[in-house]
Amino acid sequence: MATTQTEPLTLCSHCGSECPRQPIFEAAIPFCCEGCRAVYLLLQESLVCAPGDNSERLKTKRPDEKPYLYLNHPEILRSLCDYLDDKKALVTLPLPAIHCPSCIWILEQLPRLENGIISARVNYLRKEVQVHFDPSAIKLSNICALLSSMGYEPDLRLDSLENRRRKSDNRKLFLKLGLAGFAFGNIMLFSLPEYFDNNLDRHFKLLFTGLNIALSLPVLFYSASEFFQSAWQALKRRGVNMDVPIALGIIAMFARSIWEIVMGIGPGYMDTFNGLIFLLLIGRWFQRRTHDALSFDRDYRSFLPLAITRLRDNETEELTAVRDLQEGDVIRLRHGELLPADAILLSDHALLDYSFVTGENDPLERSEGETATAGGRVVAHAALFRLAGTVSHSRLTRLWNHDTFTKEPTTDLASLATRLSPGFTLTILTIAVAAAAFWGVRDPWMAFNAVTGVLIIACPCALAMSAPFSLGNSLNIFSRNGLYLKNPNIIEKLARIRNIVFDKTGTLTDLKEYQIEYSGTELTLADKVALKSLFSQSVHPLSRALAASPYLREAEVTQPTHFLEKTGLGLSGRVNATNYLAGSEELLRSAKVTLAAILPERGASRVYIARDGIMLGVFLLEARLRGGITQAVRNLADRFGLFLLSGDNEREKYRLLSVFPDGNSMYFNQSPEDKLEKVQLIQRGGSVLMLGDGLNDAGALKAAEVGLAVSDDTASFTPASDGILEATQLRLLPQFLSYARDVRKTILINFGISFLYNTFGITYAVQGLISPVFCAILMPISSITVIATATILTRYYAWRRGLSLWK
């Protein structure tokens, strides 16, 4: 009898993984990928070799840069880079070859391999690397050539990389889904005669079962591949995720079906097998669709409240939503406002803070005629820009999702299924082993039936669908009602909130409804011009209100020769050779200005005015509370601890007692640092929801378990927040918090349905009583029940809470 000799497996010398058919060799040492080879060389360099030896060896294979030279074209470079100036550039490159920890390690060592590369960060899940480099020292073509030489050829096209990648991923999923759906429908048709006629002709049985197997094989090896890959990756990491029991169920179902068909016992479970994979892929599709829809919300809706001052006919100012800006529009950005698109500076000079993008706090100076990249925040005085392109939502999205503003991960319902996986899998395996032991000594065939039946019935497809469908539906409900959340996990955090902290100015008060009075020395025309020029540089609500007030409306705006805004304190500047201060008492006292006793005692926000070290007077601003806020706070008082943190003085306290009857929960004269400390103190008594306008509250918003930026027409982009709440919808806060708890309840109900289904099915499975018809009916019903429950309950609870189901 002839024997065949199996070629021995070649294992990677670095990570131990199985090498491909043609391993990569370095000095006769095999490696599975260029990443492992490169890591090996760098480790040898740092441990036993002379410095630089292997770094040079790593670069000897660099190919010709000609295929990448087109990347150095200014327009192409600008379109690909997330950020670009003369000394710094950030580009995100998709690298499909990333597949193991060695890949991550070597790619993040790029600065050691090439001068000019400042840093590299790998996103393993998205298989991409973000490279921070100096364009004056190295070109993008050099970087791509280096990556290609290391075995990580960038997947570049000139169209939008993110859109292309998303379409490619969706196309692959649609192919898998379509294949599984096609096989499921046809196998159900071929199986009908078996269900209702046991005396079917043997030739027809053979034909139908053969067709069932032929249709199921591509579903097993292609449509179900991502479940096997995910389960294998989890097991390699010595962990268990929800795909492990799913993979076991798929394998058991297919193996038992083949066994029954080959042995002539029955038609098998091919219909249930294909239906299960079809439903699981629908769940994956819905989860991806929810993520894509959320990304769309991030790109467009989340920034909808961000309004920019556009100059109509280059003269008249008007507030314009970011989405309405067009190439060529002239915009005025004040201190703290974000540049929404690449633009040409029209002012003499400007300072731009790109710390959100580059992580460096030093502002960059731009001169008239120079191009400024989207994402910079204007510092100091205001500046005029002409948009050189359309608004780059993708770049704003990168700020919104920047690691700087990512909070520590917490336990949430979205990952509950994953956390239940180890216990669930262990329980199922224990039941299967117990059934095998019980039946093994009595009836081996029944033992086989019981074990495979348990693995088939216990496949947790319904459990895996519970959270994605519930959270996906609820995210849409929230966005339709003016609350845009960064990710689904925030819903679980909202459901666990115990304390709510409000900012006052711009949050509880309506920025459009100020009553303004002035007390003090009469202002000259020069004073009015100077003050309006200073207030026009700032995006703070009080500054905007004063610039538009009757006292200063007729004054012309000029450019201050000096301007400084101190967060939480006020403004200082020099206009027409005269120094002015406008802000809090603390600001004037720090400048050694004597405060005159010319103020009425009633409560109001106050902006003190001083000229050349002498106090002139004070503006008193009383803003009306937002409509419905008093009733909303009263509805919250019974369930939550309520706190108010305001930068204004305590005179406002008496006016707000109608909203916060417990005066001890209101804190005034709070600097941004004070607000942060107070939030951290309140957190000792339970989780905190912070609501602020985003201007002076970034630290507190980030520190709280959930931080929501309340956005009005003049609100600034606030990446430190977990979501953006339209100011007019603040009255719905009680409904939002109640609905978050309802969503949590919905997910738990679906988990309960899944466990009941498994208990019911396993009871029959251990007795060896399941049949193809039983599985074909029960398993789809469980998944459809979960989907229907999630859809119906999320919409019912939204209707019950008075939230709109339609935009």
Side-chain angles (χ1 to χ4, degrees), residues 655-701:
R655 189 163 72 98
L656 293 170
L657 284 174
S658 60
V659 183
F660 294 88
D662 182 8
N664 294 328
S665 64
M666 293 189 288
Y667 300 89
F668 297 89
N669 299 310
Q670 298 292 299
S671 67
E673 293 77 14
D674 294 333
K675 291 181 179 181
L676 173 59
E677 292 176 2
K678 284 291 191 305
V679 166
Q680 293 172 336
L681 182 64
I682 295 169
Q683 283 176 316
R684 298 178 183 176
S687 56
V688 170
L689 165 63
M690 172 73 191
L691 296 107
D693 61 6
L695 296 173
N696 302 325
D697 312 313
L701 288 169

Side-chain angles (χ1 to χ4, degrees), residues 722-735:
D722 295 298
I724 295 177
L725 174 60
E726 291 180 5
T728 56
Q729 301 298 84
L730 183 60
R731 57 185 175 79
L732 295 178
L733 184 60
Q735 290 92 316

Side-chain angles (χ1 to χ4, degrees), residues 370-661:
E370 291 186 337
T371 299
T373 308
R377 193 183 290 278
V378 172
V379 179
H381 56 79
L384 290 178
F385 296 88
R386 184 185 302 278
L387 298 185
T390 56
V391 173
S392 179
H393 291 287
S394 62
R395 291 178 182 173
L396 293 181
T397 301
R398 290 192 184 278
L399 296 184
W400 182 248
N401 297 309
H402 199 281
D403 290 342
T404 304
F405 306 105
T406 301
K407 299 181 180 179
E408 292 297 323
T410 58
T411 299
D412 57 80
L413 286 172
S415 63
L416 180 57
T418 300
R419 291 185 287 111
L420 290 174
S421 297
F424 181 87
T425 305
L426 179 61
T427 302
I428 296 306
L429 292 177
T430 301
I431 293 174
V433 171
F438 177 81
W439 289 110
V441 296
R442 296 171 174 82
D443 187 343
W445 171 244
M446 187 62 75
F448 176 76
N449 279 346
V451 171
T452 55
V454 168
L455 295 179
I456 291 170
I457 286 294
C459 183
C461 54
L463 189 64
M465 294 179 183
S466 300
F469 277 89
S470 299
L471 294 174
N473 286 324
S474 59
L475 278 174
N476 290 331
I477 299 284
F478 278 121
S479 64
R480 287 170 187 157
N481 288 272
L483 176 57
Y484 309 104
L485 301 176
K486 268 188 177 180
N487 58 66
N489 300 343
I490 298 168
I491 297 176
E492 164 64 4
K493 295 179 182 179
L494 282 174
R496 295 181 177 276
I497 290 300
R498 293 291 177 267
N499 301 288
I500 304 175
V501 177
F502 295 90
D503 176 45
K504 183 183 74 68
T505 305
T507 303
L508 296 180
T509 56
D510 191 337
L511 302 179
K512 300 177 183 177
E513 299 290 338
Y514 275 108
Q515 180 181 344
I516 302 175
E517 296 181 14
Y518 174 74
S519 296
T521 305
E522 183 176 354
L523 298 175
T524 66
L525 179 59
D527 293 331
K528 294 178 180 180
V529 168
L531 291 173
K532 185 170 184 178
S533 299
L534 291 181
F535 291 137
S536 297
Q537 304 291 321
S538 173
V539 74
H540 193 280
L542 297 183
S543 297
R544 302 292 291 267
L546 288 170
S549 68
Y551 295 94
L552 307 177
R553 186 176 298 158
E554 302 303 324
E556 297 291 334
V557 175
T558 186
Q559 184 70 33
T561 55
H562 170 75
F563 175 83
L564 178 64
E565 180 168 0
K566 294 184 178 180
T567 303
L569 295 178
L571 315 173
S572 63
R574 185 175 180 83
V575 181
N576 296 328
T578 305
N579 295 316
Y580 287 87
L581 293 174
S584 64
E585 296 181 35
E586 184 179 350
L587 178 68
L588 268 65
R589 288 197 178 98
S590 65
K592 303 188 183 311
V593 176
T594 302
L595 298 180
I598 56 176
L599 307 176
E601 290 300 320
R602 61 187 177 84
S605 298
R606 304 185 177 205
V607 178
Y608 294 84
I609 307 300
R611 180 183 62 207
D612 286 336
I614 300 174
M615 179 176 167
L616 295 178
V618 62
F619 284 103
L620 293 92
L621 299 90
E622 282 190 318
R624 292 177 54 186
L625 295 174
R626 295 192 185 276
I629 190 62
T630 300
Q631 186 60 45
V633 173
R634 289 174 180 171
N635 292 339
L636 294 168
D638 295 334
R639 296 182 290 151
F640 304 95
L642 302 182
F643 302 86
L644 173 71
L645 302 180
S646 173
D648 294 326
N649 55 57
E650 290 196 10
R651 295 185 183 89
E652 289 284 295
K653 180 175 182 177
Y654 304 103
R655 189 163 72 98
L656 293 170
L657 284 174
S658 60
V659 183
F660 294 88

